[in-house]
Amino acid sequence: MASFARSGETLMQRCLAAHPRVEVVHQIRMPDDKRDVALFKALQTRAARAIPADHPRLAHRSPAPDAVLVLKSAVWCHPHPRRGFALVRNPFSVALSGERHLTDDPARDRRQRRQQGRWAEGIDPGLAQFVAEAPILDGWLALHSRKLLQDRRDGLPFVRYEEFVTDPEPVLRAVLAHMGLPWDDAVLRSHEAYAEGEIGHGLIRLSEPVHPGSAESWRRMAPALQRRVHAVMHEAMTVHGYLWDGGSLTLAKAPGLLR
């Protein structure tokens, strides 16, 4: 599952993990199981598209021989041809969720700059110097744009977060069909597997069902910041069907959209 940080990856992974033939590698519950982190690192650079069910890195899971592993690729680009899909979200909401628009806390800014420097090494090392010197938000947007456009160049079909949280069933049906898996209603009840109030990666409440509460969060961004985001993200937004006219955001049909 290709994406970019703060795009709803944990929520999508939680839903998919409820399918009896899906094994989500990591980053739903916090903290991650160390064995899952080791599995993730082993798969990050794996060229083969299959892995033996009895592979030592899978010993703690005992997956079915026909299981599908979902590997989250949010802040690095896979070096080999891959199957899968991309989850995208409008860049206004992504920047807001990542708090990259805030610039009044030097300690937070230093942490974010170090983090973005690490991400640049996995997404595009050529951005490392720019990320080190540019304003935090501009470095974040450059990384976001590079990641989304690379996933499109790699030919991955995509789904949009806003449509997923507004009407999850058709989006999940499209994703499972693309993965070659039959439909299972369990993906719509994934929240039932978690304790009340349990917090997961991305600080989401894992025990809550999918809901559209954050779909319109982008409206909280100041107009001047929206213009700044759009200036950098215009191409990436357009190829994913996000059309912004300076006030409203429209989701249009786009090549590669999973239906």
Side-chain angles (χ1 to χ4, degrees), residues 95 99-105 108-109 112 136-137 225:
E99 295 190 332
R100 262 53 180 190
H101 61 299
L102 302 177
T103 59
D104 58 352
D105 184 337
R108 183 191 60 237
D109 285 357
Q112 291 181 338
I136 295 294
L137 178 59
L225 281 177

Side-chain angles (χ1 to χ4, degrees), residues 32 51 57 75 82 111 120 133 144 146 154 184 190 195 198 231 237:
D32 282 307
I51 186 170
R57 288 296 183 196
V75 294
R82 51 195 166 140
R111 290 194 301 272
E133 298 172 348
H144 191 181
R146 284 284 207 285
D154 287 348
D184 194 301
S190 61
E198 185 175 356
M237 291 178 70

Side-chain angles (χ1 to χ4, degrees), residues 3-4 74 77 82 119-120 123-128 130-131 139-154 232-233 235-236 240:
S3 189
F4 187 72
C77 293
R82 51 195 166 140
W119 293 355
I123 295 173
D124 182 353
L127 283 175
F130 174 78
V131 167
W140 171 271
L141 295 174
L143 290 169
H144 191 181
S145 179
R146 284 284 207 285
K147 181 63 169 62
L148 264 60
L149 291 174
Q150 183 60 57
D151 292 334
R152 286 303 298 133
R153 284 192 293 270
D154 287 348
V232 178
M233 298 293 302
E235 182 182 1
H240 291 95

Side-chain angles (χ1 to χ4, degrees), residues 193-206:
Y194 300 89
E196 181 71 27
E198 185 175 356
I199 302 299
H201 277 271
L203 301 180
I204 76 164
R205 293 179 174 85
L206 293 171

Side-chain angles (χ1 to χ4, degrees), residues 33-103:
D33 187 311
K34 291 181 179 179
R35 296 169 297 180
D36 286 339
V37 174
L39 174 60
F40 169 75
K41 291 180 177 179
L43 295 174
Q44 263 191 303
T45 56
R46 185 180 175 86
R49 297 186 184 186
I51 186 170
D54 59 355
H55 191 282
R57 288 296 183 196
L58 289 168
H60 64 293
R61 286 177 172 260
S62 302
D66 59 353
V68 174
L69 271 65
V70 174
L71 179 67
K72 170 184 166 182
S73 166
V75 294
W76 54 279
C77 293
H78 198 61
H80 304 290
R82 51 195 166 140
R83 293 182 297 182
F85 69 100
L87 170 66
V88 301
R89 187 181 184 185
N90 86 76
F92 305 130
S93 293
V94 173
L96 276 170
S97 183
E99 295 190 332
R100 262 53 180 190
H101 61 299
L102 302 177
T103 59

Side-chain angles (χ1 to χ4, degrees), residues 148-183:
L148 264 60
L149 291 174
Q150 183 60 57
D151 292 334
R152 286 303 298 133
R153 284 192 293 270
D154 287 348
L156 294 183
F158 66 93
V159 294
R160 292 182 292 219
Y161 171 85
E162 293 79 11
E163 291 161 324
F164 166 48
V165 296
T166 300
D167 192 6
E169 183 172 336
V171 173
L172 290 168
R173 282 185 178 276
V175 169
L176 290 172
H178 175 67
M179 294 167 65
L181 296 173
W183 174 252

